[in-house]
Amino acid sequence: MATNQNFFSGFQVNRSLLAGGAVLTGVGAVLGMAGAAMVCAALATAGRSWVRSMDMPPTKAVAQRALHEAKVASAAGWEAWRTEHASPN
């Protein structure tokens, strides 16, 4: 125990400076979270306005049609690749 006390005996922290830094760090974190919340709210509002202004807003039917088209295109591409790379066996 005495060895540890001797080792740290020259290490002295300015407590008021440490406390001030901790307070400023906490205030900065709170301000950062408030700013992030404001950014998220602005983006959500803009996104809602954009979707409402679309000629055909995204619906389940539109998503299903897009998925079907992607599957058809994927199947056609896969078939073309298989035809091109068919083994002679």
Side-chain angles (χ1 to χ4, degrees):
M1 218 50 174
T3 309
N4 287 340
Q5 288 175 351
N6 288 337
F7 182 74
F8 289 113
S9 65
F11 187 76
Q12 295 180 358
V13 177
N14 183 337
R15 291 183 186 214
S16 62
L17 187 60
L18 182 64
V23 167
L24 287 176
T25 300
V27 169
V30 169
L31 288 175
M33 288 189 300
M38 290 174 68
V39 167
C40 289
L43 290 175
T45 302
R48 282 191 207 116
S49 297
W50 177 63
V51 168
R52 286 183 188 133
S53 70
M54 296 174 117
D55 290 338
M56 183 171 43
T59 61
K60 188 175 179 182
V62 174
Q64 286 176 337
R65 186 178 70 218
L67 180 61
H68 174 71
E69 290 172 357
K71 285 180 179 179
V72 169
S74 176
W78 174 245
E79 188 59 37
W81 185 88
R82 281 184 33 193
T83 301
E84 182 69 27
H85 295 88
S87 63
N89 295 338

